[in-house]
Each structure stands twice: as structure tokens, then as C-alpha cells.
Amino acid sequence: MTTERRPIPVMIPMLGEEEAQAAADAVRSGWVAQGPRVAEFERRFAAAVGAEHGVAVSSCTTALHLALVLLEVGPGDEVIVPSLSFIATANAVRYVGATPVFADVDLATGNVTVKTVDAVRTSRTRAVIAVHQGGVPFDVVALRGAAASWGVALVEDAACAAGSTAYGAPVGSGAAIAAWSFHPRKLITTGEGGMVTVDGANEAVRLRRLREHGMNVSAADRHASAKPILEAYLETGYNYRMTDIQAAVGLVQLDRLAGIIAQRRALAGRYQEMLSDLDGAIPVRDPAYGEANYQSFWVLLTPEFGASRDEVLAELAAQGVSARRGIMAAHLEPAYEDVAPPSLPVTERLTRESLILPLHHALTEGDQEHIVGVLRKLAGR
């Protein structure tokens, strides 16, 4: 008699009793909206990624939006973005009325480079949003230096990159402005939620105002004051706040981050070793200048592999493995069919020929052997 194998999901958030208790404590405290736990989460997260200030928001998408508002990017401006990214990266540009311009990426890292950005840069370029794709850091020294020489703002989309490093420092350290995600697919989660990190105190003050309807004093500050405070609304803002319930979960998750990264890097290393002799299957690896947190573990299938990416996905699904297609290309989606992109051969190859394998805390060595075994059976067809 054969035993049916349990399904292997592509991702499982690491949540436990500690997070449940923290959320319950927040509910019992009577302060469930943005309050003291949010402030503590902001301080601790900023410290963890090497930034001076953290401003918690409702998602990484709203973080990117606020970053562009802070930079006063608007109609008539161009913002260079990778097409190879979740569509929110490009959407944030449209939120401020600017024009997204798609840049190609490096085949090994999936990230934009100085060369690919410079190839599409024009006199209208006001900013670049560079993504640390799947937790693989882009070359921060090269791109920050180039952006400064061009007089162009650099926004780092670090949605997937909490705990990744570049040149020996955390991703986020030295970034003028970075946006982060706490979606359940990320290493640490608050359900939904995001963060903007900046090094300037004035920028942090304005971001806090923008996330709360443009109000000059927060609800927490009004509550803490012994005297009545009459707030003023200094500019058009947004309702992009994080709740204390989410922040309570985030604080517990932050304590887990180092262990999560260590485990994911060990699992990624094992995948890399197991796939090292498989012709036509090229796994993602650390770049020479940094270490990935492996938020996503992707494999590029070359023609030598013998089976198409979609055939591999179908067979993995039939064998109980929930893999995913490679990172999407925004310029191929209907929402951007009105944008005439430059030639993006690497982007289109990666989105067409790569797949994302399961990687999470519950993944066992037996699971990895099963997954790679399916790939080996398909190889060479």
C-alpha cells in the first residue's frame, strides 16, 4: 500500500502562538489603531535594516506611492522601473501621474543595473525604482553612485529583502529611501502592511503626516497630551496607516528574522547543491557583493533542460508540488499594453523560462528530494 504524499506549498508564513498572543494583547489593551506598538515596530525595524527612521504603512504599494509623493514626482516626469517585478512597482508611478519606463535586468540576479537603467534614461527621468528582486540585492554601490551622478532620485523597492545584505551591510543601510512589505509571502509578515525607511528626520515627519490624511499631529500624540490639541491638515494626505494589532505581530516576527534567514539560506544552499549537476537548470545564487534572504528561490530552465517551464509546472502540480511561474513582466500585462517598452530580452526570458520552487520553514529534506526528483525525471526529454 502506498501512502499519499502531503501537498508541498510554495510558501507558508511562520506564525505561531506568540503572534496570536501578541495580537490578543493588543486587542485587550484597548488601543488597536495606529499607536505605541506601531511606533516600537518602526524603531526596531529601522534599526534592523540599518536605517535612521521607519514609517509604518498599510502595504509596500502605499510605501512606494508615498516615496514618490515625498520626492514630488508627478505628471511629465519619467520613473525608470524594472518590468520584471510585481506590478505594484510600476503602478505606483502611475498613482502620481508620472510615466513608468521599463528597464531590462541582469540574467543572474533579476535586477536592474547601471547599464540597463542608463540605456532608457532621458532628460525627463526624475527617479529610478530599483527592486531587490526576490531578496537578491542589487549592486547598491554602483546604482546609488550612478543615480547621484545623474541627479536622479533612487527609491529602493526592498519589498522582499528584509535581512538581505550588500557589501556587508543590511539592505536598507545607506538607502535614501526604501519601501518594504510584510505581506504573507515575505519573510516576516503582519498580514498586510509595509514600511518606508529614510535617513532624514524631516522626510520621516512628512511621511507620517502623509500617511494620516495630512494631519500635523497623530492620534497617539493627541491621546497622550494632557491638554486638548486641535489638529490641522497641512496637505492632501492618505489613509495609509498600520494598526497596533499588525505591529504587535510584526514585533514577534522581527525577533524570528535571523532564524528564518539562516534556515532559508540553508535550504537554498541544499537546492543549489542538488541541482548543480542538472544540465539546463540554473538556480538563483548570491551575487558576489552580497547575500540573499531567498524570499523566492527561482530556477532558470535553458533549452538544454528538455522540457518547457510550463510542462515542469504542470508535472510538479501533478506530483503535489505547488511551484509558481517566474517573476511577472509588467509590460506584458494588459494594464500596460499602451506602453511601448524598449527591447527587454532578459526580462522576457526570465519571466518565460523560470519557475519558483517551494521554500519555507516547513520544507523538509524529503520534500526537496521529491521536488528535485521530479525535475530530474523531466530533464532531457
Side-chain angles (χ1 to χ4, degrees):
M1 184 177 70
T2 59
T3 303
E4 185 175 350
R5 170 176 284 276
R6 64 176 177 80
I8 304 173
V10 70
M11 174 61 180
I12 305 174
M14 184 183 281
L15 294 166
E17 183 58 34
E18 295 90 341
E19 286 84 356
Q21 185 62 53
D25 289 345
V27 171
R28 294 188 188 101
S29 75
W31 194 289
V32 296
Q34 179 181 285
R37 290 172 178 81
V38 169
E40 182 183 358
F41 185 44
E42 290 173 334
R43 288 191 296 271
R44 287 187 51 197
F45 184 82
V49 301
E52 291 295 322
H53 304 277
V55 179
V57 290
S58 54
S59 70
C60 188
T61 306
T62 58
L64 289 169
H65 181 201
L66 290 188
L68 295 177
V69 172
L70 183 71
L71 294 169
E72 299 183 346
V73 174
D77 295 331
E78 293 179 349
V79 178
I80 297 172
V81 301
S83 173
L84 192 80
S85 181
F86 185 59
I87 203 165
T89 306
N91 285 350
V93 179
R94 282 184 162 174
Y95 294 168
V96 296
T99 301
V101 175
F102 294 120
D104 212 354
V105 295
D106 174 69
L107 184 65
T109 66
N111 290 325
V112 295
T113 67
V114 172
K115 182 178 180 180
T116 65
V117 170
D118 198 27
V120 294
R121 184 171 60 90
T122 73
S123 61
R124 294 172 58 195
T125 303
R126 279 289 313 282
V128 177
I129 301 179
V131 180
H132 298 282
Q133 194 53 260
V136 178
F138 63 76
D139 189 333
V140 296
V141 169
L143 202 51
R144 289 173 186 172
S149 70
W150 298 329
V152 169
L154 177 63
V155 177
E156 299 192 18
D157 184 338
C160 301
S164 298
T165 66
Y167 293 96
V171 164
S173 175
I177 187 164
W180 309 80
S181 174
F182 306 122
H183 182 272
R185 282 288 304 274
K186 307 307 186 285
L187 267 70
I188 61 174
T189 183
T190 59
E192 288 285 358
M195 188 84 70
V196 189
T197 55
V198 289
D199 282 345
N202 291 336
E203 288 84 353
V205 168
R206 187 167 181 227
L207 285 166
R208 291 193 173 96
R209 185 168 71 228
L210 284 167
R211 74 174 172 191
E212 197 163 5
H213 303 286
M215 191 162 50
N216 67 335
V217 59
S218 71
D221 290 339
R222 295 201 312 272
H223 181 77
S225 176
K227 298 179 180 180
I229 297 178
L230 301 179
E231 75 277 9
Y233 296 84
L234 305 184
E235 61 181 314
T236 301
Y238 310 89
N239 183 2
Y240 285 171
R241 293 168 292 193
M242 176 183 282
T243 70
D244 255 29
I245 300 171
Q246 292 170 289
V249 172
L251 285 165
V252 178
Q253 289 275 285
L254 198 53
D255 287 337
R256 297 186 188 274
L257 180 58
I260 291 172
I261 292 169
Q263 184 183 30
R264 293 181 78 87
R265 285 187 56 79
L267 290 168
R270 191 162 188 270
Y271 267 140
Q272 290 160 350
E273 182 179 353
M274 295 170 74
L275 293 168
S276 63
D277 65 342
L278 190 56
D279 290 341
I282 304 173
V284 61
R285 295 184 182 275
D286 289 336
Y289 50 79
E291 292 186 347
N293 64 10
Y294 292 108
Q295 183 272 340
S296 290
F297 187 90
W298 71 79
V299 178
L300 175 66
L301 301 179
T302 72
E304 289 75 24
F305 186 75
S308 72
R309 189 275 310 277
D310 291 352
E311 289 172 334
V312 174
L313 285 175
E315 183 59 23
L316 285 168
Q319 298 299 324
V321 179
S322 180
R324 293 287 184 272
R325 68 170 185 170
I327 297 158
M328 68 177 292
H331 78 282
L332 299 178
E333 295 299 320
Y336 285 89
E337 62 187 6
D338 60 326
V339 175
S343 176
L344 301 172
V346 178
T347 293
E348 293 186 5
R349 182 181 177 189
L350 283 170
T351 199
R352 182 179 63 246
E353 299 178 5
S354 65
L355 71 157
I356 295 170
L357 297 181
L359 186 61
H360 49 78
H361 67 281
L363 193 71
T364 67
E365 290 187 358
D367 291 337
Q368 287 188 292
E369 289 164 3
H370 175 63
I371 292 164
V372 175
V374 175
L375 296 180
R376 287 190 177 280
K377 288 179 181 178
L378 289 169
R381 282 190 181 181

